[in-house]
Amino acid sequence: MTTQITLPIDQNEVRALSQSKNEPEWLSSLRLEALTLAGQLDYPKLEKTNLNRWSIDSYGKYKSSEPINSLADLPEKFQTSLQDQKDNLLVQRNSNVVFQTLSDELAKQGVIFTDLETAAKEHSELVQQYFMQAVKKDESQLTAIHTSLWSGGVFLYVPKNVQVDIPLQVLFLNEDDSSIFSPHVLIVAESNSSVSYVDHVTSEGVSNELVHNSVVEVFVKPGAKVQFSTLHNLNDKITDLSYRRAVVENDGGIEWIIGEMNDGNCMSDTSSILKGNGSTSDAKIVCIGTNDQKLNITTNATHFGKSSDSDMITRAVMNDNATAIINGVTKIEHGAKNANGEQTEKVLMLSPTARGDANPMLLIDEDEVTAGHAASVGQVDKNQIYYLMSRGISKETAERLIIYGFLAPVVSQIPIKQVADQLQALIEGKLER
């Protein structure tokens, strides 16, 4: 039976909103088509998680925030985190982008880094070619709602043979629980290009329930390399529903670095479609659950290309009454000869009432491949704590050292120091509460 929901906007409002933004006809039509689908489709079927029991119907309304002239107009703590980023920065505040810069050097090389609403008008044919093509509008009720309601967002285009050496950074900030907060990130890296993208999804002062329904689409052309890093720390009133998907062509590579540090419920689906021969995917995911949080974290790699390679590592720490379902799915299609897929999922529980479930899945439809998985779920080893305490370390410090050691295989491999430092600070913040 289809889940009945009250949509946060009707067709007249969608049409009026699209006209007010002067969107191209194809985008206006797509929004309306998706809104119709949203009333017909079910929520996605997740492993051991029933979204019907979650509060995910509070989307808010579109509200335009005023542009800011400088980062000084942001709350002080965000100024500090962005102070070293003078160029190549974009800020979305609630429903729309309020600040963006791109260096002259990158602009001269043909790099496009702007909000998706502007890109849909100024680069309409290019955006239409890729928008909602990796993640389809009719996959589920969630993707249909996103297609109809998204706002703000990012469009990053890197031309052929262009190497972007400095990370491009984005801040997604919600301060108004009555505003739609559903950004869409679209990245296209042409042949033999490379780029590193970093975003931080966060909230400030939200006191009522809100849904963050976001989609990321990354298209990696032959020989291109994309590094995508994201840190999420939304407060306990916000439910985070995030789809991320990359389509990787011959000899291309995608690297995912993901920190799920939210305080509210979270569904995260990160997928790599290894379409081309020699394509690669590397995913590193860290998540921490506290209080009564419910997490469903899924990482996928689907191999179509010969000699394609995927590796995924997920570490989850659960405390209090938090629960986590950690899924890893490696699928090797028929014809993907010499493909290799490896995955590891581990859950560490700090409380007797915390729950964790690690589910590694290998789906192999080809003989000439290699694949492997490892998974574990367990409490902190008391013997390790006693050993450290025997060396004069307090119990609290001993537990902290064990947790950091558990997360180190992911955190220590993060190649961008800025991301590693921010993730470490968020981890410490959650564990100290």
Side-chain angles (χ1 to χ4, degrees):
M1 179 181 293
T2 301
T3 304
Q4 297 297 315
I5 64 167
T6 302
L7 295 177
I9 194 168
D10 62 28
Q11 288 197 352
N12 290 331
E13 290 176 297
V14 168
R15 190 176 291 109
L17 178 61
S18 186
Q19 289 175 351
S20 70
K21 295 173 179 286
N22 196 29
E23 291 181 341
E25 179 58 33
W26 68 265
L27 184 52
S28 298
S29 298
L30 184 62
R31 286 188 185 274
L32 291 169
E33 291 168 10
L35 189 65
T36 299
L37 285 171
Q40 302 170 352
L41 296 170
D42 291 318
Y43 289 144
K45 292 180 173 58
L46 305 180
E47 187 75 20
K48 301 179 182 179
T49 299
N50 186 353
L51 287 179
N52 291 300
R53 298 176 180 174
W54 289 23
S55 179
I56 51 175
D57 56 1
S58 300
Y59 277 85
K61 300 289 184 180
Y62 180 86
K63 293 184 178 181
S64 180
S65 299
E66 291 296 321
I68 61 176
N69 296 317
S70 72
L71 298 181
D73 295 324
L74 292 173
E76 186 174 351
K77 69 178 182 179
F78 301 113
Q79 296 177 38
T80 302
S81 65
L82 298 172
Q83 63 184 353
D84 295 328
Q85 191 86 11
K86 303 302 181 184
D87 290 312
N88 311 319
L89 172 66
L90 186 147
V91 177
Q92 175 167 337
R93 202 170 197 173
N94 303 316
S95 299
N96 62 295
V97 171
V98 297
F99 182 85
Q100 54 186 297
T101 64
L102 177 65
S103 69
D104 292 338
E105 179 184 356
L106 291 182
K108 289 176 182 177
Q109 294 180 76
V111 173
I112 302 171
F113 181 55
T114 187
D115 65 279
L116 187 55
E117 293 180 6
T118 297
K121 292 180 286 188
E122 297 182 355
H123 309 279
S124 181
E125 292 185 4
L126 183 58
V127 172
Q128 185 180 10
Q129 182 180 350
Y130 295 102
F131 181 74
M132 295 306 296
Q133 294 302 306
V135 179
K136 302 293 186 179
K137 67 178 184 294
D138 58 358
E139 288 185 18
S140 72
Q141 196 175 93
L142 297 183
T143 60
I145 290 175
H146 173 86
T147 308
S148 64
L149 296 183
W150 73 271
S151 64
V154 176
F155 180 62
L156 170 57
Y157 176 82
V158 185
K160 182 178 179 180
N161 296 326
V162 172
Q163 313 295 312
V164 180
D165 298 324
I166 301 174
L168 284 77
Q169 188 166 348
V170 178
L171 172 66
F172 293 109
L173 170 62
N174 183 269
E175 301 170 299
D176 183 353
D177 49 45
S178 64
S179 294
I180 288 174
F181 189 49
S182 296
H184 188 107
V185 177
L186 178 57
I187 299 174
V188 180
E190 295 286 8
S191 300
N192 299 313
S193 66
S194 67
V195 68
S196 178
Y197 167 96
V198 179
D199 72 31
H200 185 190
V201 182
T202 188
S203 60
E204 180 85 355
V206 175
S207 57
N208 295 303
E209 291 183 348
L210 183 68
V211 175
H212 169 254
N213 181 344
S214 68
V215 168
V216 172
E217 299 181 287
V218 183
F219 294 88
V220 185
K221 297 308 179 77
K225 307 296 180 185
V226 175
Q227 187 179 70
F228 184 100
S229 305
T230 184
L231 303 178
H232 288 216
N233 67 310
L234 298 165
N235 80 3
D236 61 353
K237 295 296 184 180
I238 300 180
T239 300
D240 188 358
L241 309 172
S242 296
Y243 283 95
R244 309 176 189 96
R245 196 165 300 168
V247 179
V248 189
E249 299 187 20
N250 291 346
D251 299 314
I254 177 72
E255 181 178 5
W256 302 103
I257 301 169
I258 298 167
E260 301 288 5
M261 300 289 117
N262 296 308
D263 289 333
N265 292 346
C266 172
M267 182 217 74
S268 167
D269 186 307
T270 304
S271 302
S272 299
I273 301 171
L274 300 176
K275 180 180 175 182
N277 298 335
S279 55
T280 64
S281 171
D282 184 279
K284 302 178 182 71
I285 295 95
V286 172
C287 55
I288 295 181
T290 56
N291 298 319
D292 296 317
Q293 268 187 279
K294 295 177 178 60
L295 309 179
N296 188 290
I297 310 296
T298 301
T299 312
N300 291 278
T302 303
H303 296 249
F304 290 96
K306 297 177 181 178
S307 300
S308 52
D309 187 274
S310 68
D311 188 24
M312 56 185 79
I313 302 174
T314 303
R315 292 285 192 276
V317 176
M318 295 294 106
N319 202 3
D320 306 318
N321 298 311
T323 61
I325 307 298
I326 308 297
N327 307 304
V329 183
T330 302
K331 192 173 192 302
I332 301 180
E333 301 286 356
H334 181 68
K337 294 183 182 297
N338 300 315
N340 175 60
E342 303 290 338
Q343 57 169 289
T344 303
E345 294 84 34
K346 293 188 176 182
V347 182
L348 180 65
M349 295 177 292
L350 307 182
S351 162
T353 55
R355 293 290 180 268
D357 197 346
N359 303 303
M361 288 168 265
L362 300 178
L363 307 173
I364 314 297
D365 196 24
E366 178 57 58
D367 294 330
E368 299 178 32
V369 302
T370 57
H373 65 77
S376 68
V377 176
Q379 300 279 346
V380 173
D381 190 333
K382 292 183 179 180
N383 290 329
Q384 291 180 334
I385 294 177
Y386 292 150
Y387 174 79
L388 291 172
M389 291 176 65
S390 72
R391 301 292 174 174
I393 297 173
S394 69
K395 182 179 180 180
E396 183 180 90
T397 301
E399 289 180 341
R400 193 69 49 83
L401 289 172
I402 291 170
I403 294 167
Y404 292 155
F406 175 77
L407 298 175
V410 176
V411 178
S412 65
Q413 292 185 41
I414 296 175
I416 304 175
K417 185 178 185 302
Q418 177 188 13
V419 177
D421 290 346
Q422 287 184 348
L423 178 57
Q424 186 68 33
L426 291 173
I427 290 171
E428 292 175 0
K430 284 212 75 173
L431 293 176
E432 288 174 359
R433 292 176 200 168

